[in-house]
Amino acid sequence: MYCYYWCQRFDINYIKCSQLILNTVKQAVEKSELIAKLQKEILSLQGFRTASDDKRLQFGLGPLENAFPNHVFPTGAVHEFISPGTAEAAATTGFLAGMLGTLMQDKKSCVWISTHRTIFPPGLKVFGIEPDRIIFIDLNKEKDLLWTVEEALKCEALAAVVAEVKEISLTESRRLQLAVERSRVTGFLHRCNPNKIENIACVSRWQIRPISSELEPGMPGVGHPRWDVQLLKVRNGTAGSWQLQWADGRFEHIPVLSKILPSAYIKKTG
């Protein structure tokens, strides 16, 4: 009799324990699903899309795109590019032109804002961009630049906004981030020789350097533009370094390391 009572009690405790375990597992799964949903929504607000989104732009960055969450370059966000010298600035301008060529495929326009414009508009045709589709705004005062950038980023009719700005604070960058979260416009901040580099509200920080091009045997010319692309920081992603070139109207990943040109040599050869 005692053995029967003990077995019954054991069965009841076993059932209760099983139910408790199942409830705990169910709560953990629900919690995990809720966290994943919230993470997806937050990443979407920051410009990070999933590969299954209806409209995904193909930038052709190759392995570099794997550094971003969901392996997708974040549009509708603000990116920061640091150029310590003129050689890096020229290389960054070329790289940005390649990115703009993809962003402007849907016939939208771009705004390019600066106080000392150095870009040669007809050269944009190399990257598949008609210069008349870019609105160049040349300002006389540095203090007017960030206000103009913010207002441009609020315009949903634009594909992208490029701003050549030297200094920017965390508070100022947050205003730009809030603007793109509403408009879904992609912003590029090109900072040439900044006095200080601090954390700002951008999804990524880049540094582009020129590398030597290679000619095909028996072919004249200077070769395709090549860059050493360093992703210094990326929100919720992985930093790294890659080498890319622009050929046949698109980016191509270079698996073999090329020699990075010294700034003095670039200035000497033009």
Side-chain angles (χ1 to χ4, degrees):
M1 188 71 179
Y2 175 77
C3 182
Y4 174 77
Y5 171 76
W6 183 86
C7 289
Q8 266 192 330
R9 189 171 181 181
F10 175 80
D11 290 341
I12 293 173
N13 290 337
Y14 177 77
I15 293 173
K16 288 182 177 179
C17 185
S18 298
Q19 289 177 340
L20 180 62
I21 293 174
L22 289 174
N23 290 335
T24 303
V25 172
K26 183 179 179 181
Q27 291 176 359
V29 171
E30 291 176 349
K31 185 177 181 181
S32 177
E33 291 176 350
L34 178 61
I35 292 174
K37 184 179 179 180
L38 289 173
Q39 287 178 334
K40 184 178 179 180
E41 291 178 356
I42 292 172
L43 289 174
S44 178
L45 287 173
Q46 295 174 346
F48 298 104
R49 303 288 194 274
T50 61
S52 59
D53 283 349
D54 295 335
K55 189 177 181 181
R56 177 187 174 184
L57 294 174
Q58 299 292 337
F59 288 90
L61 297 175
L64 192 155
E65 290 198 62
N66 296 330
F68 298 104
N70 303 321
H71 309 305
V72 179
F73 174 81
T75 56
V78 181
H79 302 265
E80 177 189 24
F81 289 78
I82 304 293
S83 295
T86 54
E88 291 81 5
T92 300
T93 299
F95 183 81
L96 286 175
M99 300 292 286
L100 291 176
T102 299
L103 287 168
M104 298 171 65
Q105 286 178 353
D106 56 0
K107 303 304 180 182
K108 285 187 176 181
S109 298
C110 166
V111 170
W112 195 300
I113 307 169
S114 63
T115 55
H116 300 88
R117 195 206 316 174
T118 56
I119 188 172
F120 181 60
L124 294 171
K125 292 184 177 181
V126 175
F127 301 95
I129 302 173
E130 292 298 326
D132 58 1
R133 290 178 56 203
I134 295 185
I135 303 170
F136 292 99
I137 301 178
D138 301 322
L139 301 171
N140 295 323
K141 298 180 181 179
E142 189 78 25
K143 65 179 182 179
D144 297 331
L145 196 147
L146 288 175
W147 178 86
T148 308
V149 173
E150 182 181 351
E151 293 303 309
L153 288 172
K154 293 178 181 178
C155 181
E156 298 178 3
L158 296 175
V161 174
V162 180
E164 296 182 30
V165 53
K166 187 173 183 179
E167 307 298 336
I168 183 172
S169 67
L170 177 60
T171 302
E172 291 167 334
S173 66
R174 282 174 176 168
R175 294 178 64 89
L176 302 184
Q177 183 61 34
L178 288 173
V180 298
E181 286 177 5
R182 298 187 184 97
S183 66
R184 312 311 307 168
V185 175
T186 304
F188 297 113
L189 300 180
H190 186 190
R191 303 183 62 193
C192 302
N193 193 25
N195 293 325
K196 55 182 178 180
I197 301 174
E198 299 178 343
N199 290 329
I200 61 175
C202 291
V203 298
S204 65
R205 174 177 290 166
W206 307 63
Q207 185 168 337
I208 315 296
R209 294 188 294 173
I211 57 178
S212 57
S213 60
E214 294 184 8
L215 293 174
E216 296 183 10
M219 295 295 292
V222 294
H224 299 298
R226 289 188 169 192
W227 307 281
D228 177 63
V229 181
Q230 296 182 32
L231 193 56
L232 304 178
K233 293 175 62 177
V234 54
R235 191 179 302 165
N236 301 309
T238 306
S241 179
W242 299 264
Q243 295 197 345
L244 302 174
Q245 72 174 3
W246 185 263
D248 300 323
R250 60 188 176 89
F251 287 111
E252 290 182 355
H253 177 251
I254 306 173
V256 181
L257 294 177
S258 296
K259 182 180 178 181
I260 298 175
L261 295 176
S263 297
Y265 179 77
I266 295 171
K267 293 178 182 177
K268 182 179 178 181
T269 59

